[in-house]
């Protein structure tokens, strides 16, 4: 049914708004202009209207194939390819087109087979993205580099820059972006990546300016709307963020990112009843551990439905064993449901961290007092206003340094916090700082100390493996630790990708 809708319905429906009185030649010219301006939705409408009049026009069909690929519609692209083949027209890049369709359908092995030994820029891009989908980042990087050496292509460059960003290589992403600016300074890809790079570096104001420029040039694109809304949220401009999310929701009602951010913003404003009403009919569809599920669970907790919230947070903890938020909220739900013993067992380790936030300390202190735990007094002391303010100021400084990848400051700040006790979260940040500063020995030492405090925590298993992998030391140990982390948190795609890197490195 979906395929029929995509291939047949839009041709008639979209033609009504694309200018039925225009000739196919005029519509083709308009579509070429829209395609060149990267307004692929408009190009599809114009081509659909033209194809109603000339359904076997090979020029129209060839452009429709490329348009559907740009829109990420594999069914639409395949349908246009089939019709183009039926005209008898030669399609010189058919294998590459089919490879792109295979990628869109999450069939990377098929894409690699189709692209074969193609050494065009597009061939290298397909090969790189297929290798990424298969969890082979080293092979992907090699393909990206070969593609970049073959010439200028904005799609390849953007994909490579995003690969760098997801690898936390902001310097490498910036170098690729500089080349993109020379290639196509006003392209959608270049403008968006400018914002994404600033956001990754924690440069919120620069990111806001960049995303605004994107929306000035491409006012109906949903992704930069959501990105800008996230930056407004980071600045505390929740109303501005909500306005953008509402607009994005109208343009793309089924967009999961807009949906998630909508409820996150409602939670930040404490509008729990709106969250409950909006999500209660979807409760059975909410994936455990997802942002929406935890927003809904928190709304139930704040509205007095502690037992139901406890059940939902218990499910979240099962699928996100290393997530401190889900554990903190489970502890709150246990406390609210009258089970102080379970609440203290859940919150005790979290509250021991020097990075613990006031709301966590407050819940932990209540649970400790209710169970008669001696830690209640020390928790109360940490909540003393002057002491709490000084501690949170230092934590905030450390958070900002991590966000800006200012690793020297990270090392200084968390070194001071480590003096307050052997805290695995502090050790984790020190390990990351040392690793990024090229000090593999200290990175491994900090990571191993964090793991010693919490031996079965998948986050610390991952950290201990990662610093070894990045430092090129003890590669068999890196693989063993990452395998243990993947077993403890099997749904974590980041761990899975780095495990593949470790396997390749260890041989």
């Amino acid at each position: 049914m979906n395929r029929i809708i995509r291939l047949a319905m839009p041709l008639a429906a979209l033609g009504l708004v694309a200018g039925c009185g225009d000739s196919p030649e005029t519509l083709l010219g308009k579509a070429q202009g829209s395609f060149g301006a990267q307004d692929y939705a408009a190009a599809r409408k114009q081509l659909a209207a033209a194809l109603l009049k000339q359904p076997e026009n090979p020029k129209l069909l060839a452009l429709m194939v490329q348009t559907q690929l740009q829109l990420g519609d594999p069914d639409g692209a395949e349908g246009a390819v089939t019709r183009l083949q039926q005209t008898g027209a030669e399609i010189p890049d058919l294998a590459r087109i089919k490879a792109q369709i295979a990628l869109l359908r999450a069939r990377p092995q098929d894409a690699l087979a189709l692209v074969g030994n193609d050494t065009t820029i597009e061939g290298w891009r397909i090969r790189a993205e297929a290798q990424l989908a298969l969890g082979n980042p080293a092979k992907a990087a090699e393909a990206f580099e070969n593609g970049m050496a073959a010439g200028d292509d904005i799609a390849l460059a953007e994909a490579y820059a995003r690969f760098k960003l997801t690898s936390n290589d902001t310097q490498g992403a910036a170098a690729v972006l500089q080349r993109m600016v020379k290639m196509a300074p006003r392209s959608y890809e270049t403008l968006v990546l400018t914002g994404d790079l600033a956001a990754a570096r924690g440069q919120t104001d620069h990111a806001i300016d960049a995303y605004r420029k994107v929306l000035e040039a491409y006012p109906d694109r949903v992704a930069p709307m959501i990105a800008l809304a996230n930056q407004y949220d980071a600045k505390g401009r929740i109303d501005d963020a909500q306005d953008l999310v509402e607009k994005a929701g109208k343009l793309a009602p089924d967009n999961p990112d807009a949906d998630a951010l909508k409820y996150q913003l409602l939670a930040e404003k404490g509008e729990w009843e709106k969250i409950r009403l909006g999500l209660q009919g979807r409760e059975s569809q909410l994936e455990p551990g997802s942002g929406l599920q935890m927003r809904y669970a928190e709304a139930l907790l704040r509205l007095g439905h502690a037992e139901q919230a406890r059940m939902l947070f218990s499910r979240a903890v099962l699928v996100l064993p290393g997530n401190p938020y889900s554990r903190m909220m489970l502890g709150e739900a246990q406390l609210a449901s009258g089970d102080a013993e379970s609440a203290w067992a859940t919150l005790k380790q979290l509250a021991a961290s020097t990075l613990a936030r006031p709301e966590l300390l407050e819940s932990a202190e209540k649970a400790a007092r209710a169970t008669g735990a001696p830690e209640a007094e020390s928790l109360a002391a940490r909540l003393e206003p002057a002491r709490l303010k000084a501690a949170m100021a230092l934590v905030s400084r450390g958070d900002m340094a991590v966000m800006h990848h200012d690793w020297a400051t990270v090392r200084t700040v968390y070194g001071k916090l480590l003096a307050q006790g052997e805290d695995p979260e502090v050790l984790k940040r020190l390990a990351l700082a040392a690793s990024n500063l090229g000090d593999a020995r200290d990175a491994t030492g900090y990571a191993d100390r964090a793991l010693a405090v919490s031996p079965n925590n998948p986050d610390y298993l991952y950290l201990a493996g990662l610093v070894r992998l990045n430092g090129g030391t003890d590669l068999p140990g890196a693989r063993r630790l990452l395998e243990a982390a993947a077993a403890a948190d099997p749904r974590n795609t980041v761990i899975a990708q780095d495990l593949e890197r470790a396997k390749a490195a260890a041989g």
Side-chain angles (χ1 to χ4, degrees):
M1 181 61 71
N2 282 344
R3 181 169 296 190
I4 293 172
I5 291 172
R6 287 187 179 186
L7 297 183
M9 286 291 288
L11 298 182
L14 298 178
L16 296 175
V17 297
C20 291
D22 290 335
S23 69
E25 293 76 17
T26 299
L27 287 167
L28 175 59
K30 289 182 177 180
Q32 289 169 332
S34 297
F35 190 94
Q38 298 182 291
D39 189 350
Y40 303 116
R44 180 162 63 180
K45 292 177 184 179
Q46 291 149 352
L47 291 167
L51 284 165
L52 285 174
K53 301 175 181 181
Q54 291 185 356
E56 297 182 357
N57 184 317
K59 290 184 178 179
L60 292 171
L61 289 167
L63 185 56
M64 179 63 93
V65 170
Q66 296 303 321
T67 300
Q68 299 284 34
L69 289 174
Q70 291 291 340
L71 289 168
D73 183 351
D75 289 343
E78 187 173 62
V81 167
T82 299
R83 292 172 62 183
L84 182 56
Q85 288 176 307
Q86 290 170 351
T87 69
E90 183 180 354
I91 312 175
D93 52 353
L94 181 59
R96 280 201 300 275
I97 290 170
K98 289 185 175 180
Q100 291 181 75
I101 291 171
L103 271 182
L104 290 172
R105 287 196 169 129
R107 298 204 310 254
Q109 289 284 16
D110 291 347
L112 285 175
L114 285 161
V115 82
N117 295 320
D118 186 344
T119 56
T120 63
I121 295 175
E122 184 65 17
W124 285 119
R125 182 186 67 79
I126 294 169
R127 192 175 290 109
E129 293 191 351
Q131 293 291 359
L132 276 181
L134 290 168
N136 300 323
K139 292 181 180 179
E142 182 182 1
F144 278 129
E145 285 292 344
N146 285 331
M148 295 289 284
D152 287 343
D153 181 80
I154 198 69
L156 172 82
E158 183 205 19
Y160 192 21
R162 295 207 173 282
F163 168 68
K164 295 281 192 183
L165 278 181
T166 57
S167 303
N168 292 319
D169 182 4
T170 56
Q171 187 173 353
V176 179
L177 177 58
Q178 286 180 350
R179 187 162 167 184
M180 291 171 66
V181 170
K182 292 178 181 177
M183 287 185 214
R186 298 295 300 165
S187 73
Y188 176 78
E189 294 86 352
T190 301
L191 293 173
V192 168
L193 194 69
T194 301
D196 291 349
L197 178 59
R201 287 174 162 172
Q203 299 168 340
T204 306
D205 290 335
H206 288 152
I208 287 173
D209 290 342
Y211 291 133
R212 281 175 174 167
K213 288 177 182 176
V214 180
L215 291 174
E216 287 172 6
Y218 303 93
D220 294 327
R221 298 292 182 97
V222 171
M225 283 183 197
I226 297 171
L228 179 56
N230 271 304
Q231 296 305 306
Y232 280 150
D233 181 28
K235 292 285 287 186
R237 297 170 56 178
I238 298 178
D239 290 339
D240 289 335
Q242 284 184 312
D243 289 343
L244 280 170
V245 169
E246 183 179 355
K247 184 177 179 181
K250 290 177 181 177
L251 289 169
D254 297 324
N255 187 290
D257 294 327
D259 198 30
L261 185 54
K262 169 186 173 181
Y263 286 101
Q264 177 183 315
L265 294 169
L266 287 173
E268 289 175 22
K269 296 179 77 172
E271 296 185 353
W272 307 114
E273 185 64 19
K274 287 185 179 180
I275 295 173
R276 185 187 70 82
L277 291 173
L279 293 176
Q280 64 182 356
R282 299 160 57 184
E283 181 177 347
S284 62
Q285 303 166 7
L286 299 178
E287 185 178 356
S290 67
L292 285 178
Q293 191 243 19
M294 289 199 277
R295 293 290 85 74
Y296 180 59
E298 185 172 2
L300 292 174
L301 177 61
R302 303 308 178 203
L303 293 170
H305 305 286
E307 288 293 348
Q308 193 175 353
R310 176 177 180 165
M311 177 187 66
L312 293 174
F313 282 121
S314 294
R315 293 175 183 171
V317 168
L318 285 175
V319 298
L320 297 173
N323 184 287
Y325 173 77
S326 61
R327 297 190 69 83
M328 179 184 77
M329 295 308 300
L330 172 60
E332 288 197 22
Q334 290 167 330
L335 187 61
S337 61
D339 186 357
E341 292 284 350
S342 294
W344 176 236
T346 299
L347 297 173
K348 181 178 180 179
Q349 185 176 343
L350 291 174
S353 172
T354 54
L355 307 182
R357 304 288 173 172
E359 58 271 21
L360 170 60
L361 295 174
E362 288 170 2
S363 295
E365 193 235 347
K366 290 177 184 176
R369 287 202 183 281
T371 59
E375 290 90 344
E377 293 306 321
S378 62
L379 287 168
R382 290 173 64 188
L383 284 165
E384 192 277 323
R387 179 176 172 180
L388 183 64
K389 181 179 179 181
M392 288 301 101
L394 196 56
V395 170
S396 178
R397 185 183 171 202
D399 286 346
M400 290 300 294
V402 171
M403 185 182 296
H404 289 89
H405 294 183
D406 181 359
W407 300 115
T409 300
V410 170
R411 199 165 188 174
T412 298
V413 171
Y414 289 100
K416 293 178 181 178
L417 287 167
L418 188 61
Q420 300 179 26
E422 195 80 345
D423 184 335
E425 283 298 305
V426 171
L427 289 163
K428 171 183 171 180
R429 287 156 177 79
L430 285 168
L432 289 172
S435 180
N436 280 282
L437 291 170
D439 188 345
R441 186 182 67 177
D442 274 7
T444 302
Y446 287 131
D448 287 352
R449 285 166 63 184
L451 187 58
V453 176
S454 185
N456 299 316
N457 188 305
D459 198 28
Y460 305 143
L461 285 165
Y462 168 65
L463 174 69
L466 180 66
V467 297
R468 284 170 167 81
L469 177 61
N470 288 345
T473 59
D474 187 16
L475 294 178
R479 176 173 177 170
R480 175 179 53 80
L481 287 159
L482 289 169
E483 285 175 339
D489 192 358
R491 297 175 49 171
N492 192 311
T493 57
V494 175
I495 294 175
Q497 288 174 358
D498 283 320
L499 174 56
E500 290 302 319
R501 278 207 300 138
K503 288 178 179 178

